[in-house]
Amino acid sequence: MRRLALILCGLFALVAVTAARADDWPPAAWSKPFKPYRVVGNIYYVGSEGLSSYLIASSEGHVLLDAGMSAEGARLVERNIVALGFRLSDVKILINTHAHYDHAGGLAQLKADTGAKLYASSQDRPALEKGRHFGDNENGLTAFPAVKVDRAISDGQTVKLGETQLKAYLTPGHTIGGTTWTTTVTERGRPLKVVFFNSISVAGNALVGNRTYPKIVADYRSTFAKLKALPADVFLPAHEEQGGLVAKRKRFLGGDLNAFIDPTEMGRFVAASEKAFNIELARQQGAAK
């Protein structure tokens, strides 16, 4: 009886921990409003405190990258765009880093509200149009509102709107069609290479025996190699905490006009991410033996 009681106590504790984690997810910062601001050049941060969305303005309309995790997240982005003095009807193109709900969940709402066209990688297109990501993941297939892709983008392709040019680099692994976007802006007379960084974390992905995404490890490897060769003066990630954007904004407001400029930051982040990937791959390989 005593042993049974201990087992039951352990099960109840496990249930309690699981429930607590469920209560804490998603992180509150992902839906917490944050005052929008200009980052560098014609790039504006219009996301929540924890989930990045970027408006890239031009004289012929604007491009919006990522859209929050839901219809309400999209409305937060819309309020931020309007607060900066831009019109929603001037958003002409929507682009996406990857087809996970926290970055794609608001695309359908934003598309309906702005009339913009959605451009996304051909590899992530099926996931966006079905409203769920592909690939074996311990978190399951988290659903989001399906959205029609108007134009499929391939690796190395350039999207142009007015004087704005954005180049797509396919960086798969996190999802099969994850995309890193780059552009060049001028800040106080200085040209800057800007990288809108797609996520490269494992985030529950099965690295061993992934039946729906069998080449996932090779894709991660190719992505790390590609990103190591990509120059970046300004590193703008899909998640705020990956680039410490809140802290940088505080530094900027305190007088550090170069707070967002660091040509070495992305390289350090990629190296740390590759190390974390190798550790997780070894763990999964060991567990599979």
Side-chain angles (χ1 to χ4, degrees):
M1 287 293 292
R2 187 169 182 270
R3 184 180 180 186
L4 177 60
L6 289 172
I7 292 172
L8 288 174
C9 285
L11 288 172
F12 290 148
L14 179 60
V15 170
V17 169
T18 302
R21 287 176 178 169
D23 290 341
D24 292 339
W25 195 264
W30 287 11
S31 56
K32 184 178 179 180
F34 195 79
K35 187 176 181 180
Y37 59 91
R38 188 181 70 85
V39 184
V40 289
N42 60 333
I43 299 169
Y44 299 82
Y45 186 91
V46 293
S48 65
E49 182 181 281
L51 282 180
S52 303
S53 291
Y54 301 99
L55 187 78
I56 304 98
S58 88
S59 59
E60 295 184 17
H62 317 310
V63 179
L64 181 68
L65 172 61
D66 285 352
M69 61 180 174
S70 63
E72 182 50 43
R75 294 186 186 102
L76 182 154
V77 171
E78 290 174 356
R79 290 192 293 270
N80 282 347
I81 292 171
V82 172
L84 289 169
F86 297 106
R87 295 183 299 182
L88 292 181
S89 59
D90 287 335
V91 177
K92 303 301 183 184
I93 299 173
L94 303 176
I95 57 177
N96 182 229
T97 51
H98 60 278
H100 278 167
Y101 81 99
D102 46 339
H103 308 283
L107 286 173
Q109 186 69 48
L110 266 158
K111 191 177 183 190
D113 293 344
T114 62
K117 302 295 184 183
L118 174 59
Y119 296 4
S121 74
S122 56
Q123 290 84 348
D124 260 357
R125 181 177 190 168
L128 291 168
E129 295 189 335
K130 289 187 177 181
R132 61 176 180 83
H133 75 267
F134 295 142
D136 300 342
N137 188 289
E138 66 181 19
N139 301 308
L141 299 177
T142 49
F144 53 86
V147 58
K148 182 182 182 299
V149 174
D150 299 290
R151 179 178 169 188
I153 299 297
S154 58
D155 187 36
Q157 191 168 347
T158 298
V159 172
K160 298 179 181 180
L161 184 63
E163 62 275 17
T164 293
Q165 293 191 39
L166 291 154
K167 188 173 182 178
Y169 289 86
L170 193 63
T171 47
H174 192 75
T175 69
I176 197 169
T179 308
T180 291
W181 297 85
T182 69
T183 192
T184 299
V185 302
T186 301
E187 179 69 15
R188 303 191 311 279
R190 176 184 176 184
L192 297 172
K193 297 182 183 299
V194 179
V195 174
F196 300 99
F197 193 82
N198 174 49
S199 295
I200 55 173
S201 61
V202 175
N205 279 330
L207 302 178
V208 177
N210 194 316
R211 290 168 296 178
T212 53
Y213 189 2
K215 65 187 185 84
I216 187 170
V217 171
D219 276 357
Y220 269 108
R221 297 285 190 213
S222 68
T223 285
F224 293 136
K226 182 180 290 186
L227 291 172
K228 287 176 186 177
L230 196 62
D233 297 310
V234 180
F235 172 62
L236 297 180
H239 285 270
E240 177 281 327
E241 74 276 5
Q242 294 173 348
L245 301 181
V246 171
K248 289 175 183 174
R249 177 61 176 163
K250 289 180 180 177
R251 283 167 45 202
F252 182 89
L253 293 174
D256 182 1
L257 300 183
N258 294 317
F260 289 93
I261 303 171
D262 183 350
T264 68
E265 181 178 15
M266 193 176 88
R268 297 195 307 270
F269 186 84
V270 172
S273 298
E274 185 175 27
K275 181 178 179 180
F277 169 84
N278 287 329
I279 291 171
E280 176 59 15
L281 176 60
R283 185 195 70 78
Q284 291 191 26
Q285 289 172 332
K289 290 180 180 178

PDB file of all heavy atoms in Angstrom, residues 254-273:
ATOM      1  N   GLY A 254      18.334  55.541 -24.413  1.00  0.00           N
ATOM      2  CA  GLY A 254      19.287  56.151 -23.488  1.00  0.00           C
ATOM      3  C   GLY A 254      20.428  56.869 -24.184  1.00  0.00           C
ATOM      4  O   GLY A 254      21.313  57.408 -23.514  1.00  0.00           O
ATOM      5  N   GLY A 255      20.424  56.864 -25.530  1.00  0.00           N
ATOM      6  CA  GLY A 255      21.421  57.619 -26.274  1.00  0.00           C
ATOM      7  C   GLY A 255      22.388  56.810 -27.114  1.00  0.00           C
ATOM      8  O   GLY A 255      23.214  57.384 -27.844  1.00  0.00           O
ATOM      9  N   ASP A 256      22.296  55.465 -27.036  1.00  0.00           N
ATOM     10  CA  ASP A 256      23.178  54.621 -27.835  1.00  0.00           C
ATOM     11  C   ASP A 256      22.556  54.428 -29.220  1.00  0.00           C
ATOM     12  O   ASP A 256      21.756  53.525 -29.439  1.00  0.00           O
ATOM     13  CB  ASP A 256      23.376  53.271 -27.144  1.00  0.00           C
ATOM     14  CG  ASP A 256      24.318  52.353 -27.912  1.00  0.00           C
ATOM     15  OD1 ASP A 256      24.828  52.768 -28.973  1.00  0.00           O
ATOM     16  OD2 ASP A 256      24.542  51.210 -27.441  1.00  0.00           O
ATOM     17  N   LEU A 257      22.944  55.258 -30.160  1.00  0.00           N
ATOM     18  CA  LEU A 257      22.351  55.222 -31.492  1.00  0.00           C
ATOM     19  C   LEU A 257      22.767  53.991 -32.292  1.00  0.00           C
ATOM     20  O   LEU A 257      22.178  53.710 -33.336  1.00  0.00           O
ATOM     21  CB  LEU A 257      22.716  56.500 -32.255  1.00  0.00           C
ATOM     22  CG  LEU A 257      22.245  57.824 -31.626  1.00  0.00           C
ATOM     23  CD1 LEU A 257      22.614  58.999 -32.525  1.00  0.00           C
ATOM     24  CD2 LEU A 257      20.752  57.796 -31.345  1.00  0.00           C
ATOM     25  N   ASN A 258      23.763  53.260 -31.813  1.00  0.00           N
ATOM     26  CA  ASN A 258      24.212  52.052 -32.496  1.00  0.00           C
ATOM     27  C   ASN A 258      23.761  50.784 -31.773  1.00  0.00           C
ATOM     28  O   ASN A 258      24.328  49.706 -31.986  1.00  0.00           O
ATOM     29  CB  ASN A 258      25.739  52.054 -32.613  1.00  0.00           C
ATOM     30  CG  ASN A 258      26.242  53.170 -33.506  1.00  0.00           C
ATOM     31  OD1 ASN A 258      25.678  53.434 -34.567  1.00  0.00           O
ATOM     32  ND2 ASN A 258      27.308  53.845 -33.072  1.00  0.00           N
ATOM     33  N   ALA A 259      22.740  50.900 -30.956  1.00  0.00           N
ATOM     34  CA  ALA A 259      22.313  49.774 -30.113  1.00  0.00           C
ATOM     35  C   ALA A 259      21.960  48.532 -30.914  1.00  0.00           C
ATOM     36  O   ALA A 259      22.168  47.403 -30.453  1.00  0.00           O
ATOM     37  CB  ALA A 259      21.133  50.199 -29.246  1.00  0.00           C
ATOM     38  N   PHE A 260      21.422  48.708 -32.110  1.00  0.00           N
ATOM     39  CA  PHE A 260      20.989  47.564 -32.913  1.00  0.00           C
ATOM     40  C   PHE A 260      22.061  47.087 -33.901  1.00  0.00           C
ATOM     41  O   PHE A 260      21.829  46.150 -34.661  1.00  0.00           O
ATOM     42  CB  PHE A 260      19.709  47.915 -33.688  1.00  0.00           C
ATOM     43  CG  PHE A 260      18.493  48.023 -32.804  1.00  0.00           C
ATOM     44  CD1 PHE A 260      18.114  49.247 -32.275  1.00  0.00           C
ATOM     45  CD2 PHE A 260      17.739  46.895 -32.500  1.00  0.00           C
ATOM     46  CE1 PHE A 260      16.994  49.349 -31.450  1.00  0.00           C
ATOM     47  CE2 PHE A 260      16.616  46.989 -31.685  1.00  0.00           C
ATOM     48  CZ  PHE A 260      16.249  48.215 -31.155  1.00  0.00           C
ATOM     49  N   ILE A 261      23.208  47.736 -33.884  1.00  0.00           N
ATOM     50  CA  ILE A 261      24.254  47.421 -34.855  1.00  0.00           C
ATOM     51  C   ILE A 261      25.371  46.632 -34.193  1.00  0.00           C
ATOM     52  O   ILE A 261      26.024  47.107 -33.267  1.00  0.00           O
ATOM     53  CB  ILE A 261      24.813  48.714 -35.490  1.00  0.00           C
ATOM     54  CG1 ILE A 261      23.686  49.519 -36.134  1.00  0.00           C
ATOM     55  CG2 ILE A 261      25.905  48.390 -36.504  1.00  0.00           C
ATOM     56  CD1 ILE A 261      24.100  50.905 -36.600  1.00  0.00           C
ATOM     57  N   ASP A 262      25.593  45.398 -34.654  1.00  0.00           N
ATOM     58  CA  ASP A 262      26.661  44.549 -34.138  1.00  0.00           C
ATOM     59  C   ASP A 262      26.965  43.473 -35.181  1.00  0.00           C
ATOM     60  O   ASP A 262      26.264  42.462 -35.273  1.00  0.00           O
ATOM     61  CB  ASP A 262      26.252  43.894 -32.816  1.00  0.00           C
ATOM     62  CG  ASP A 262      27.375  43.055 -32.216  1.00  0.00           C
ATOM     63  OD1 ASP A 262      28.390  42.818 -32.898  1.00  0.00           O
ATOM     64  OD2 ASP A 262      27.222  42.603 -31.058  1.00  0.00           O
ATOM     65  N   PRO A 263      28.000  43.675 -36.001  1.00  0.00           N
ATOM     66  CA  PRO A 263      28.319  42.724 -37.081  1.00  0.00           C
ATOM     67  C   PRO A 263      28.726  41.335 -36.601  1.00  0.00           C
ATOM     68  O   PRO A 263      28.825  40.409 -37.415  1.00  0.00           O
ATOM     69  CB  PRO A 263      29.473  43.414 -37.819  1.00  0.00           C
ATOM     70  CG  PRO A 263      29.346  44.859 -37.466  1.00  0.00           C
ATOM     71  CD  PRO A 263      28.834  44.874 -36.063  1.00  0.00           C
ATOM     72  N   THR A 264      28.974  41.157 -35.297  1.00  0.00           N
ATOM     73  CA  THR A 264      29.406  39.856 -34.788  1.00  0.00           C
ATOM     74  C   THR A 264      28.274  39.085 -34.104  1.00  0.00           C
ATOM     75  O   THR A 264      28.432  37.906 -33.791  1.00  0.00           O
ATOM     76  CB  THR A 264      30.552  40.019 -33.776  1.00  0.00           C
ATOM     77  OG1 THR A 264      30.066  40.663 -32.583  1.00  0.00           O
ATOM     78  CG2 THR A 264      31.688  40.860 -34.361  1.00  0.00           C
ATOM     79  N   GLU A 265      27.146  39.728 -33.872  1.00  0.00           N
ATOM     80  CA  GLU A 265      26.093  39.110 -33.058  1.00  0.00           C
ATOM     81  C   GLU A 265      25.496  37.864 -33.700  1.00  0.00           C
ATOM     82  O   GLU A 265      25.344  36.824 -33.047  1.00  0.00           O
ATOM     83  CB  GLU A 265      24.977  40.127 -32.772  1.00  0.00           C
ATOM     84  CG  GLU A 265      23.874  39.547 -31.907  1.00  0.00           C
ATOM     85  CD  GLU A 265      22.789  40.562 -31.583  1.00  0.00           C
ATOM     86  OE1 GLU A 265      22.734  41.626 -32.241  1.00  0.00           O
ATOM     87  OE2 GLU A 265      21.979  40.282 -30.676  1.00  0.00           O
ATOM     88  N   MET A 266      25.151  37.926 -34.970  1.00  0.00           N
ATOM     89  CA  MET A 266      24.498  36.784 -35.589  1.00  0.00           C
ATOM     90  C   MET A 266      25.430  35.575 -35.639  1.00  0.00           C
ATOM     91  O   MET A 266      24.995  34.430 -35.427  1.00  0.00           O
ATOM     92  CB  MET A 266      23.991  37.118 -36.990  1.00  0.00           C
ATOM     93  CG  MET A 266      23.034  36.062 -37.526  1.00  0.00           C
ATOM     94  SD  MET A 266      22.321  36.455 -39.138  1.00  0.00           S
ATOM     95  CE  MET A 266      23.568  35.763 -40.229  1.00  0.00           C
ATOM     96  N   GLY A 267      26.697  35.801 -35.896  1.00  0.00           N
ATOM     97  CA  GLY A 267      27.655  34.700 -35.922  1.00  0.00           C
ATOM     98  C   GLY A 267      27.722  33.992 -34.580  1.00  0.00           C
ATOM     99  O   GLY A 267      27.787  32.751 -34.527  1.00  0.00           O
ATOM    100  N   ARG A 268      27.719  34.767 -33.502  1.00  0.00           N
ATOM    101  CA  ARG A 268      27.742  34.166 -32.161  1.00  0.00           C
ATOM    102  C   ARG A 268      26.471  33.359 -31.906  1.00  0.00           C
ATOM    103  O   ARG A 268      26.513  32.265 -31.337  1.00  0.00           O
ATOM    104  CB  ARG A 268      27.899  35.243 -31.091  1.00  0.00           C
ATOM    105  CG  ARG A 268      29.199  36.030 -31.153  1.00  0.00           C
ATOM    106  CD  ARG A 268      29.447  36.818 -29.879  1.00  0.00           C
ATOM    107  NE  ARG A 268      28.330  37.678 -29.508  1.00  0.00           N
ATOM    108  CZ  ARG A 268      28.186  38.939 -29.904  1.00  0.00           C
ATOM    109  NH1 ARG A 268      29.079  39.475 -30.742  1.00  0.00           N
ATOM    110  NH2 ARG A 268      27.157  39.668 -29.498  1.00  0.00           N
ATOM    111  N   PHE A 269      25.344  33.898 -32.353  1.00  0.00           N
ATOM    112  CA  PHE A 269      24.075  33.209 -32.130  1.00  0.00           C
ATOM    113  C   PHE A 269      24.014  31.903 -32.912  1.00  0.00           C
ATOM    114  O   PHE A 269      23.552  30.878 -32.398  1.00  0.00           O
ATOM    115  CB  PHE A 269      22.903  34.121 -32.510  1.00  0.00           C
ATOM    116  CG  PHE A 269      21.562  33.530 -32.170  1.00  0.00           C
ATOM    117  CD1 PHE A 269      21.047  33.662 -30.897  1.00  0.00           C
ATOM    118  CD2 PHE A 269      20.832  32.823 -33.116  1.00  0.00           C
ATOM    119  CE1 PHE A 269      19.810  33.108 -30.563  1.00  0.00           C
ATOM    120  CE2 PHE A 269      19.615  32.265 -32.809  1.00  0.00           C
ATOM    121  CZ  PHE A 269      19.097  32.409 -31.519  1.00  0.00           C
ATOM    122  N   VAL A 270      24.477  31.924 -34.150  1.00  0.00           N
ATOM    123  CA  VAL A 270      24.461  30.713 -34.969  1.00  0.00           C
ATOM    124  C   VAL A 270      25.372  29.648 -34.358  1.00  0.00           C
ATOM    125  O   VAL A 270      25.006  28.462 -34.294  1.00  0.00           O
ATOM    126  CB  VAL A 270      24.885  31.030 -36.419  1.00  0.00           C
ATOM    127  CG1 VAL A 270      25.065  29.744 -37.224  1.00  0.00           C
ATOM    128  CG2 VAL A 270      23.850  31.921 -37.086  1.00  0.00           C
ATOM    129  N   ALA A 271      26.545  30.051 -33.894  1.00  0.00           N
ATOM    130  CA  ALA A 271      27.475  29.092 -33.284  1.00  0.00           C
ATOM    131  C   ALA A 271      26.861  28.453 -32.042  1.00  0.00           C
ATOM    132  O   ALA A 271      26.969  27.233 -31.839  1.00  0.00           O
ATOM    133  CB  ALA A 271      28.784  29.791 -32.934  1.00  0.00           C
ATOM    134  N   ALA A 272      26.215  29.259 -31.206  1.00  0.00           N
ATOM    135  CA  ALA A 272      25.575  28.729 -29.998  1.00  0.00           C
ATOM    136  C   ALA A 272      24.414  27.805 -30.352  1.00  0.00           C
ATOM    137  O   ALA A 272      24.206  26.774 -29.706  1.00  0.00           O
ATOM    138  CB  ALA A 272      25.090  29.881 -29.123  1.00  0.00           C
ATOM    139  N   SER A 273      23.674  28.162 -31.394  1.00  0.00           N
ATOM    140  CA  SER A 273      22.543  27.340 -31.821  1.00  0.00           C
ATOM    141  C   SER A 273      23.017  26.005 -32.380  1.00  0.00           C
ATOM    142  O   SER A 273      22.398  24.954 -32.136  1.00  0.00           O
ATOM    143  CB  SER A 273      21.718  28.081 -32.879  1.00  0.00           C
ATOM    144  OG  SER A 273      21.171  29.273 -32.348  1.00  0.00           O
TER     145      SER A 273
END
